């Protein structure tokens, strides 16, 4: 092993200070998507929570996945999704990341995080969910399936996309969404926010040649 | 809806050109983690595949999740994990992202992607898996559980971290991993690679005050 690498065995991980371990393990997944998940309950009371565990599941049918920690912070999110079957995912930007971070605070259950952090709920005309009006990428989803992860009682849910509202000027001729135009941000660890700077778009990989740069 | 947003209904999504829809839907999850997943089969033959659907699952026990598309490219990855129960995740960097992209090509099943793209397999001293020697973050995991997603026959697996090998100088005093020091990259859509530029680290959110910037 090169000198510059530091080894942590599993025993050493288990013996670390709890806060140090939380930072370390949360950092391992690298740069993460950052979305605000917006929901409402059966009475229309709205909830907002930042989520950094959103993944692409498939394009056709259009599916996204999300890990929820029902025993930690965003309890209302899962309860609302179970009541209504609907939720929205909304990109966090350079203009809103401080409000998104603040939305993770443990507010009084009667208080809407929208009001508390100063973001505007935008009702959908078709679906029982709010979007975040400020977001350049707004995704409306219907719950498709849920999986309880036995390892730590978290819940992985899969949502099927019902409608999209996207910043028009960020959509390329080939459908590519330019995240520098949307000014979407990415989070690392628990609390570090970043903008992206493009290195390259690469052509589809084939075994017999090196990838080439796509025009931007 | 503001004029600058473009609406796609579900019907419109289903009617899009296939390649356009793939780009569009793959872009919705924003900036994504990018890791090389390295495995070996029971005979020690090694496989390498880029993965952009890695998420943090929990810190204690230390768990990570990963979505695999067994019916598309990285078939050997899942087969190998099922044979040995082990796999590694390795951060892709500014120095290796072109090789990582190339590793997604459909090579002959007998050929190791390590050799084909010119990355060095680094055996673990304790676990039946290779790491990517060039990676500043190398994570050794044991399969803990798997979930078949009925919506599109993909497989979500949860691995439990058995050992870590991390670039020493990138680990902060509080356990925070500085991804600018590791030069880890993030991917958006299918083919766009980015470095991160830090905006801020923010203090733990509390309901009664705004978050403040943490020192770097």
């Amino acid at each position: 092993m090169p000198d510059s690498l530091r080894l942590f065995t599993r025993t050493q991980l288990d013996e670390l200070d709890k806060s140090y371990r939380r930072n370390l393990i949360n950092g391992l997944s690298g740069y993460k998507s950052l979305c605000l998940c917006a929901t409402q309950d059966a009475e229309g009371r709205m909830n907002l929570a930042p989520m950094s565990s959103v993944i692409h599941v498939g394009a056709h049918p259009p599916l996204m996945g999300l890990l929820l920690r029902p025993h930690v912070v965003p309890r209302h999110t899962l309860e609302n999704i179970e009541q209504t079957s609907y939720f929205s995912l909304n990109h966090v930007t350079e203009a809103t990341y401080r409000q998104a971070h603040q939305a993770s605070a443990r507010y009084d259950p009667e208080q809407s995080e929208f009001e508390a952090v100063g973001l505007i709920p935008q009702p959908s005309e078709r679906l029982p969910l709010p979007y975040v009006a400020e977001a350049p990428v707004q995704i409306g989803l219907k719950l498709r399936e849920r999986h309880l992860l036995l390892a730590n009682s978290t819940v992985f849910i899969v949502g099927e996309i019902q409608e999209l509202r996207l910043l028009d000027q960020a959509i390329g001729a080939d459908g590519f969404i330019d995240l520098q135009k949307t000014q979407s941000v990415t989070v690392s660890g628990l609390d570090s926010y970043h903008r992206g700077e493009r290195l390259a778009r690469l052509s589809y990989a084939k075994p017999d040649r090196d990838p080439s740069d796509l025009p931007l």
Side-chain angles (χ1 to χ4, degrees), chain A:
Chain A
M1 190 162 85
D3 286 347
S4 58
L5 292 186
R6 181 161 153 204
L7 172 72
F8 293 88
T9 65
R10 175 56 189 273
T11 307
Q12 286 168 328
L13 289 178
D14 289 339
E15 288 169 353
L16 288 173
D17 165 73
K18 186 179 169 187
S19 162
Y20 186 101
R21 182 175 53 226
R22 261 180 99 223
N23 282 323
L24 191 77
I25 305 297
N26 271 278
L28 296 175
S29 40
Y31 289 111
K32 298 179 279 194
S33 307
L34 184 63
C35 289
L36 282 160
C37 182
T39 55
Q40 60 192 41
D41 66 14
E43 281 76 46
R45 281 180 299 234
M46 292 178 292
N47 184 269
L48 192 64
M51 298 282 165
S52 63
S53 57
V54 169
I55 56 174
H56 171 76
V57 172
H60 191 53
L63 302 164
M64 298 177 76
L66 173 60
L67 187 78
L68 295 166
R69 296 175 171 71
H71 307 302
V72 194
V73 179
R75 191 195 312 239
H76 289 114
T77 299
L78 185 58
E79 285 173 1
N80 290 353
I81 294 171
E82 286 171 347
Q83 278 186 25
T84 68
S85 292
Y86 286 89
F87 60 107
S88 75
L89 294 171
N90 305 269
H91 278 208
V92 175
T93 67
E94 296 180 35
T96 60
Y97 76 89
R98 287 176 176 269
Q99 289 153 297
H101 183 87
Q102 184 63 19
S104 69
R106 293 167 190 260
Y107 287 103
D108 185 279
E110 296 305 306
Q111 185 169 17
S112 161
E113 290 86 359
F114 275 107
E115 276 179 33
V117 307
L119 291 170
I120 300 169
Q122 175 74 48
S124 165
E125 288 166 21
R126 297 162 198 80
L127 313 173
L129 55 78
Y131 294 109
V132 176
E134 291 85 348
V137 175
Q138 304 173 10
I139 309 162
L141 300 113
K142 182 173 186 184
L143 179 65
R144 176 80 184 253
E145 55 189 280
R146 52 172 288 171
H147 296 266
L148 176 65
L149 306 191
L150 301 173
N152 69 348
S153 299
T154 53
V155 177
F156 184 76
I157 64 171
V158 177
E160 189 165 338
I161 298 172
Q162 303 299 313
E163 67 176 12
L164 293 179
R165 297 147 54 97
L166 305 179
L167 184 68
D168 198 27
Q169 70 204 57
I171 310 172
D174 61 355
F176 174 73
I177 302 174
D178 188 331
L179 299 180
Q180 293 185 256
K181 289 185 179 159
T182 60
Q183 301 196 300
S184 300
V185 300
T186 168
V187 65
S188 72
L190 292 160
D191 50 27
S192 182
Y193 297 89
H194 310 255
R195 67 162 68 89
E197 186 187 341
R198 182 172 296 112
L199 297 162
R201 277 189 79 186
L202 298 181
S203 62
Y204 188 79
K206 303 248 187 186
D208 56 350
R209 62 159 192 257
D210 286 338
S212 58
D213 286 36
L214 295 178
L216 296 179

